Amino acid sequence: MDKKELINCGKVKSVYNSSDDDKVIIEFRDDITAGDGARKEVMTNKGAYNAIISTKIFKVLEENGIETQFVDLPEPNVMIAKKLEMIPIEVIVRNIATGSLVRKYPIADGTRLEPPVVEMDYKDDEYHDPMLNFSLIQALGIATQEEVDILIEKALKINEILRKFFADAGIVLVDFKIEFGKDKDGNIILGDEISPDGCRLWDSETLEMMDKELFRKGKDDEVMDAYIEVYNRIIPDEEKVI
Ligand code: TYD
C-alpha cells in the first residue's frame, strides 16, 4: 500500500492517506518529546520499537474483544490502520497515583487507586491539554454523554486486560493515556498507540521506570534500554522483527 498525501504530522507520528480510502498509513518516527513538544530528541529505532509494542498490545486487546484501529504492520515502523475521525479527548486511566495527579491533589505518590481513576483531557497542545468534565465536553461540542460513557467503559476494560498482560511480563501498569476515534459508521474504536511513550510502566520487582518518564526526567541515555526491555518482555521471539 502506497503513501499518498500527509494528512497529519504529529509530534512523533506522521499519518498519510493511502490508496484505500478506508485506511491510513501511520509512520512512527524516531522523535521523542516532552513538555508539549518543548524538548525534542531523536532516538535510533524508537519508532519501530513503539510500533511493534503498540501492535502487540492492540492484538492482545482485539483477542479480548476490544476493537482497535490496527490493520497491519508491513514495516517495523509503519502501521496500516483503519481511518478514524479522532475524538480530541485523551483518556487517562490510573492504577497508582503519581505525576500530575499528586501535583494537583492531596494524594500521596504511590497510593494504589481502587477503583482506578479515569481522567479526560482536551487534546490541544496550545491550551496544554486542560482537564475536561462532561459539561465542558458538551460546551466544546466534542462528544455526547452516551459517547463519553462508552469511552469510560472501554478505557476501564482496556485497563483490566493490560494490567494482567503487563503483570505477566513482570511490569506494573501504573497509568496510561489512550485516544479513540469514530469509523465511517460512527463506531467508537481505540486508535493512536499504546506504547512506553504514553504509559507509566514500572518493573514489578525493582519499581524502576521503563517508559518516557525517564526522558521527562532528563535520563535520556536510559530511555532506549527501557523501551527495549519492555519489547523483550512482551514480544515473543517469533514475533520479533527488529
Ligand atoms: P500525567 O500524570 O497526567 O502526566 P505528567 O505527570 O507528565 O503531567 O500522565 C498520566 C499518564 O498519561 C502517563 O502515563 C503519561 C500519559 N500521558 C500522555 O501520554 N500524554 C499526555 O499528554 C498526558 C497528560 C499524559
Side-chain angles (χ1 to χ4, degrees):
M1 193 177 282
D2 290 329
K3 286 179 199 162
K4 286 167 77 187
E5 75 274 31
L6 180 70
I7 48 178
N8 183 47
C9 187
K11 292 196 287 286
V12 299
K13 298 192 291 297
S14 302
V15 183
Y16 298 86
N17 265 331
S18 73
S19 42
D20 179 340
D21 279 349
D22 294 335
K23 301 205 172 64
V24 289
I25 296 174
I26 305 175
E27 181 194 355
F28 287 65
R29 305 194 312 270
D30 287 344
D31 300 317
I32 184 164
T33 71
D36 292 337
R39 202 157 80 79
K40 182 177 158 181
E41 296 292 338
V42 175
M43 299 203 173
T44 306
N45 285 337
K46 183 218 164 224
Y49 283 108
N50 269 5
I52 300 164
I53 290 170
S54 199
T55 294
K56 177 68 186 174
I57 291 174
F58 278 12
K59 283 183 179 170
V60 167
L61 291 172
E62 293 268 358
E63 284 161 15
N64 285 279
I66 301 283
E67 198 179 348
T68 78
Q69 186 179 25
F70 176 78
V71 176
D72 193 15
L73 191 75
E75 293 171 46
N77 71 326
V78 177
M79 188 183 283
I80 298 176
K82 290 169 203 156
K83 187 182 242 176
L84 301 179
E85 188 193 325
M86 294 306 290
I87 300 168
I89 298 178
E90 300 193 331
V91 184
I92 294 169
V93 183
R94 302 173 185 274
N95 296 305
I96 295 177
T98 193
S100 66
L101 191 78
V102 301
R103 286 196 298 274
K104 291 198 272 191
Y105 302 94
I107 301 180
D109 208 321
T111 306
R112 193 158 169 263
L113 301 164
E114 191 55 58
V117 169
V118 182
E119 204 182 296
M120 286 178 291
D121 292 352
Y122 182 43
K123 187 178 166 72
D124 191 323
D125 282 343
E126 195 187 329
Y127 290 88
H128 306 292
D129 301 344
M131 200 194 286
L132 293 167
N133 61 27
F134 179 63
S135 297
L136 287 162
I137 290 174
Q138 223 174 7
L140 291 160
I142 303 173
T144 65
Q145 179 74 64
E146 194 190 0
E147 288 167 342
V148 171
D149 290 344
I150 294 172
L151 297 184
I152 294 171
E153 190 194 315
K154 281 188 190 278
L156 288 171
K157 187 161 177 214
I158 290 166
N159 183 47
E160 286 315 306
I161 298 163
L162 295 186
R163 232 162 42 160
K164 174 159 191 329
F165 173 71
F166 279 113
D168 290 346
I171 296 171
V172 183
L173 178 60
V174 175
D175 55 30
F176 61 97
K177 182 265 305 177
I178 45 181
E179 295 176 32
F180 294 87
K182 286 192 217 166
D183 69 8
K184 62 180 189 322
D185 301 317
N187 300 310
I188 294 184
I189 293 177
L190 177 67
D192 191 49
E193 68 179 299
I194 301 184
S195 73
D197 268 13
C199 302
R200 281 199 180 91
L201 305 170
W202 293 350
D203 180 275
S204 306
E205 297 274 306
T206 64
L207 302 185
E208 273 170 28
M209 291 182 261
M210 306 175 73
D211 59 74
K212 198 174 88 172
E213 192 71 11
L214 290 163
F215 183 71
R216 294 194 194 95
K217 291 191 180 302
K219 297 182 177 175
D220 296 21
D221 54 337
E222 296 176 34
V223 173
M224 281 319 300
D225 285 348
Y227 281 40
I228 293 168
E229 181 63 22
V230 173
Y231 170 87
N232 281 329
R233 289 200 202 177
I234 69 169
I235 310 290
D237 284 343
E238 62 277 14
E239 292 174 31
K240 289 198 166 98
V241 291
I242 185 174

